[in-house]
Structure formats: C-alpha cells, structure tokens
Amino acid sequence: MEQASMTDRTAASGAGPVVAIIDDDLDLRRTVADLLGENGFTPLPLPDGASFLALGPRPAVDLALIDLRLRGENGLTLAIRIRETMGIPIVMLKGRGDEMDKIIGLETGADDYMMKPFNPRELIARLRAVLRRAGHPAMAPPDRSTSTIRAFGRLRLDQTRRELLDAEGAEIPLTNAEYRLLDYFLRHPGRIIPRTELLTELGNDLSQYMDRTIDVLILRLRRKIESVPSKPVHLQTRRGQGYIFVLGPPA
C-alpha cells in the first residue's frame, strides 16, 4: 500500500526530482519522505531492494537513497547493481559503525554517504549537490537576484533562502541553530556580543541545554566558515567578554 499510494501521488503531482528511499525502517522512510516532499522532491519510499527492482530496468527515479544495512540483504550489493545497470546517482545511509563501510560504499559507486542520525538540512543539501553534479535540470543554481546576501571573506550568506554558500556557489549545510547564530553575527559585525545575548537570541533552540552550548555551536560554525578553525579570522573570541564577528576582506 505504501509503494502504490506514493507512486500514484508521484505521477499526479509532477513534482521535483524523484528520490527512492530504500530502507526497511518504516518510521525513517516516512520521516525522510515528509522531509523530501517539503523541500521540492518527489519521495518514493520502498522497504527493500526487491521493491525497487520491481520498478523495472529503467525506473522513473532520479536518485536512490539506500540504507547500507537493509534487513536480509546488502545495501552495497543493491547499489552496485543500480550503478551498473541503471546509472542512477546513489546516496548511502549508514548507522554509526566501522568507517570501512563508508570506504567500501564509495568504492562501489555511491556518490555520497550520510551517517544516521543525520541533520535534515544537510541531507537536503547533499541530495541537491549529487543531483546537480549529475546534471539534473531541476538542480540548476537558484535565482538569487532578489535575495539579501551578506558576504564575508570567500563566503556568502543568502538570508532570503537561509543558505550559506562557498566561493563556487555550493551550499554549505547549516543546522537551524548554526544559521541563526551566523545570521545574528552578520547583522552585528564588529561588535563584541556576550554569550548571554546569544543565548537570548537563540531562545528555544537552546532551552534544553546549558550555557556551554554556545561554545559548542561556535566550534561547529568555525569548522564550516573558517579556513583554520583553531585560528579564526571571522568568528573571534574576546576572552571574558564574548565573541566578535569580523567580515574581513573579500576574496
């Protein structure tokens, strides 16, 4: 019933790129399907490899999102078969475990890898990037002519689309809290901002955490915006006072 109803919805909607979600976890399939549907994709949730192969030798699918550890079968084997016979881009999902799984998966033709549990915004960004590299027409660079964009160094923050872009225009995935933190800094450059002010600004995002969560978010954000996170150019610490954001010269 799940496959049939989703297939009917796909045909009727004429929506964005079709992504087959091949995972034996029903809750995860539904969660990912909802996430993809909300972000312009057409999800096709399937419980196993047999369900995917039953779609035929040339399925109307633009990308396969495959769980590495499918119950009763090997996600890698399915990925190899899809790659060799269909040429469809593949993103693998894996739980926390041996790093060797990732190496094997990439060597067998997967275009990208995501660890479970994953950040929703990062999954969407990764899927878009894989489809863009594959030349999918729906993944052409978006029109940012009406966007509000703030630049710092080699990076840009599109505050209309809530996206961080690198020098080539590719999106750097941010969590909601990371985005809000960066956006706040960019709206107040050159001013020392106390940790308490940042906690107040982020509000509900941090209500369940301790004050040190700001420091953790700062570290994570530096890894994404600084060339050398241990020697930050933009997001600097003022000991005993807080943090200051320095725009820096353009690239």
Side-chain angles (χ1 to χ4, degrees):
M1 286 297 293
E2 178 188 22
Q3 180 179 341
S5 61
M6 183 57 69
T7 302
D8 292 343
R9 189 191 314 172
T10 298
S13 66
V18 179
V19 177
I21 307 161
I22 308 168
D23 197 303
D24 51 35
D25 184 330
L26 177 59
D27 290 337
L28 186 139
R29 288 200 306 275
R30 288 175 173 170
T31 298
V32 174
D34 289 343
L35 174 67
L36 297 189
E38 293 167 358
N39 285 274
F41 296 89
T42 301
L44 179 62
L46 302 167
D48 49 40
S51 300
F52 180 85
L53 297 174
L55 298 175
R58 299 181 65 84
V61 172
D62 298 297
L63 183 148
L65 182 63
I66 306 173
D67 180 20
L68 176 66
R69 302 295 183 184
L70 289 171
R71 187 177 299 117
E73 61 183 314
N74 189 322
L76 291 177
T77 302
L78 176 62
I80 292 171
R81 183 167 180 179
I82 291 174
R83 171 64 73 197
E84 292 179 345
T85 62
M86 303 175 188
I88 297 171
I90 297 166
V91 175
M92 302 294 293
L93 291 176
K94 72 181 290 288
R96 298 191 180 278
D98 192 347
E99 184 68 14
M100 187 58 66
D101 289 338
K102 177 177 179 178
I103 297 172
I104 294 173
L106 292 173
E107 287 182 346
T108 54
D111 295 272
D112 205 349
Y113 234 91
M114 286 291 294
M115 182 82 73
K116 294 190 293 186
F118 49 80
N119 174 269
R121 286 177 64 89
E122 182 172 4
L123 176 62
I124 294 300
R126 295 279 194 94
L127 295 181
R128 286 174 176 161
V130 169
L131 285 166
R132 190 160 48 242
R133 291 196 298 268
H136 194 286
M139 292 297 110
D143 179 9
R144 301 186 189 275
S145 60
T146 59
S147 292
T148 299
I149 295 178
R150 292 181 183 267
F152 59 101
R154 296 173 56 83
L155 305 180
R156 295 173 296 149
L157 186 69
D158 185 332
Q159 294 173 301
T160 303
R161 297 176 60 90
R162 297 172 63 92
E163 295 173 350
L164 176 62
L165 309 172
D166 66 15
E168 286 71 44
E171 183 181 356
I172 300 172
L174 296 175
T175 66
N176 184 55
E178 289 168 352
Y179 170 81
R180 291 180 61 189
L181 189 66
L182 179 58
D183 177 70
Y184 193 72
F185 278 124
L186 283 172
R187 285 188 280 116
H188 302 87
R191 177 168 73 83
I192 297 176
I193 303 176
R195 183 184 288 106
T196 52
E197 183 177 333
L198 294 175
L199 280 166
T200 301
E201 170 64 20
L202 293 178
N204 292 335
D205 281 340
L206 301 180
S207 60
Q208 59 181 317
Y209 299 112
M210 302 291 288
D211 179 71
R212 290 286 295 176
T213 300
I214 285 291
D215 300 317
V216 174
L217 277 175
I218 293 290
L219 289 174
R220 283 167 38 188
L221 192 53
R222 279 175 174 158
R223 293 190 187 111
K224 296 182 178 182
I225 68 173
E226 302 285 0
S227 299
V228 182
S230 61
K231 298 179 180 179
V233 172
H234 302 293
L235 185 42
Q236 301 179 14
T237 301
R238 292 293 184 265
R239 191 174 300 277
Q241 301 178 71
Y243 299 96
I244 185 171
F245 200 90
V246 179
L247 296 177

